[in-house]
Amino acid sequence: MGDSINFDVVVVGSCNLDLVSTTTHLPLPGETLRTIAYAEHAGGKGLNQAVACARMGARTAFIGCVGNDSTGTMLRELLNSEGIDTSQLVTVDAPTGRAFITVDALGENTIVIVAGANAHVGNSAITVPKSKVLLAQLEIPLDIVTQVFAQAQNAITVLNPAPAAQLSTELLSLCDVAVPNETESAALGGTQFLLGAGVATIVTTLGERGAEISDNTSTVAVTPYPVNAIDTVGAGDAFVGALCAELARGETIEHAARIASVAGALATTIHGAVPSLPTRAAVMSLYAD
Ligand code: RIB
């Protein structure tokens, strides 16, 4: 690959099969519910965000693991069909990751993940190719996220700290941009803590209230794009993928976040994570500069 940059965004992360039940409400402790609808989709925060980047026009590579099973083959084919480089998608001797998702009538969701093959990311050596943006989440081993960010060279490192976990000072010091939601931000100690730990910019997603960009000098609000949400699964991934694709285009963080806000909102209007991820043409047709 030499010294040239072949990718806009390299994503290191998880891929899952999403088993999605739609119910009237989210189950209470001890409650058994009947589904209104059931569907299976490609998913995983890593895969979703890679697809989101590719649909936003970014040359994208995905680094991760699938199991040696038909689901793993399906996910690999899906990534290839989106034009995503899978030369470092490793097939391992474990079941492909799964996510058990419940979506209620208001579009809210709960997710339980089974790591499976995702727990093996980093068992074979990873060589991070040069890119403009390097993106990771926390559905793979945390020490591997730290290792790949340490290889970032001049790429902008973006961490979507989901699901929330205790993060080392080393990993935080390697993050240029963190994109938590409100719950994750609180679990990580809040914006001021993250800034103090060396993260240069925090983009906090606020759901239907938009987002907020904070650095050591200011906080800027990103207004939401109004939609009728029916399913919030994958909306955060659409936001993060679009943000990274726009940063790779050289946009400012504020402009990138405003475009990402439209992408995230659009993703809530269609069921499923991957099916809901918008193209750049769709996003930009609604984006008012
Ligand atoms: O962010 C949504 C994703 O979280 C789902 O696709 C599921 O697989 C979990 O990783």
Side-chain angles (χ1 to χ4, degrees), residues 197-237:
V199 183
T201 307
I202 320 295
V203 182
T204 309
T205 57
L206 306 171
E208 61 190 17
R209 289 181 289 117
E212 197 172 77
I213 306 167
S214 302
D215 61 20
N216 273 319
T217 58
S218 65
T219 295
V220 174
V222 177
T223 49
Y225 182 79
V227 287
N228 287 324
I230 61 166
D231 183 346
T232 53
V233 177
D237 300 329

Side-chain angles (χ1 to χ4, degrees), residues 28-281:
L28 302 169
E31 185 178 21
T32 300
L33 283 176
R34 286 194 168 80
T35 62
I36 297 168
Y38 176 76
E40 297 186 355
H41 301 290
K45 295 186 198 304
L47 179 147
N48 295 343
Q49 291 175 22
V51 173
C53 289
R55 289 188 186 169
M56 288 297 289
R59 297 165 302 163
T60 305
F62 180 71
I63 298 175
C65 288
V66 289
N68 190 8
D69 48 29
S70 59
T71 304
T73 304
M74 183 274 282
L75 296 181
R76 181 184 294 278
E77 287 172 356
L78 180 279
L79 286 159
N80 289 336
S81 74
E82 297 281 344
I84 295 166
D85 180 281
T86 55
S87 53
Q88 290 193 71
L89 178 62
V90 180
T91 300
V92 298
D93 190 16
T96 296
R98 294 280 187 284
F100 297 92
I101 301 180
T102 308
V103 180
D104 74 9
L106 299 174
E108 282 305 331
N109 66 73
T110 60
I111 303 180
V112 177
I113 53 172
V114 181
N118 297 311
H120 295 251
V121 174
N123 284 3
S124 351
I126 293 172
T127 307
V128 179
K130 279 195 171 177
S131 63
K132 295 175 184 167
V133 175
L134 177 58
L135 166 63
Q137 318 73 29
L138 302 179
E139 290 184 339
I140 59 171
L142 293 189
D143 56 325
I144 302 305
V145 177
T146 307
Q147 275 178 38
V148 296
F149 273 17
Q151 290 185 47
Q153 301 181 59
N154 291 323
I156 301 167
T157 52
V158 179
L159 180 68
N160 172 222
Q166 195 76 37
L167 301 183
S168 67
T169 48
E170 184 187 4
L171 175 53
L172 289 172
S173 70
L174 292 167
C175 295
D176 295 317
V177 181
V179 193
N181 64 22
E182 284 175 283
T183 312
E184 291 150 1
S185 176
L188 290 167
T191 299
Q192 291 312 319
F193 172 81
L194 293 171
L195 290 171
V199 183
T201 307
I202 320 295
V203 182
T204 309
T205 57
L206 306 171
E208 61 190 17
R209 289 181 289 117
E212 197 172 77
I213 306 167
S214 302
D215 61 20
N216 273 319
T217 58
S218 65
T219 295
V220 174
V222 177
T223 49
Y225 182 79
V227 287
N228 287 324
I230 61 166
D231 183 346
T232 53
V233 177
D237 300 329
F239 183 101
V240 173
L243 182 85
C244 291
E246 295 305 312
L247 288 176
R249 282 176 186 269
E251 295 293 354
T252 63
I253 190 81
E254 191 177 332
H255 196 194
R258 289 199 282 126
I259 293 172
S261 182
V262 178
L266 274 185
T268 68
T269 63
I270 295 172
H271 285 290
V274 167
S276 73
L277 300 171
T279 62
R280 191 163 196 272

